[in-house]
Amino acid sequence: MFRLTFEDGLSFLVDEDARLHFLRLAKRRGDELTRVRGGHVITLAGRRVRRVALIAEVA
């Protein structure tokens, strides 16, 4: 499982399929992907720049 966390505090648990889908969408949109330990930080471009962390959950 992976934790998807938006900078405004919203957070969701997602499975591997959802993680891969989210990463593919970010690449297709041209969003900036930064690898970090345990996952990625995605900078969502748009009217307002937002960052999303997608990090592996530690059991």
Side-chain angles (χ1 to χ4, degrees):
M1 296 299 281
F2 294 82
R3 181 152 308 271
L4 177 66
T5 305
F6 291 83
E7 67 180 312
D8 63 3
L10 284 174
S11 183
F12 305 93
L13 278 178
V14 297
D15 63 13
E16 176 70 11
D17 290 336
R19 180 189 77 89
L20 290 173
H21 181 72
F22 192 79
L23 290 173
R24 277 194 301 272
L25 284 175
K27 278 188 176 182
R28 190 176 314 144
R29 287 175 26 115
D31 295 325
E32 180 182 331
L33 296 173
T34 306
R35 287 209 41 102
V36 296
R37 185 181 312 147
H40 292 84
V41 172
I42 301 116
T43 302
L44 300 174
R47 290 190 326 181
R48 192 185 89 133
V49 174
R50 293 176 50 172
R51 287 184 182 79
V52 178
L54 189 53
I55 306 293
E57 271 293 291
V58 177

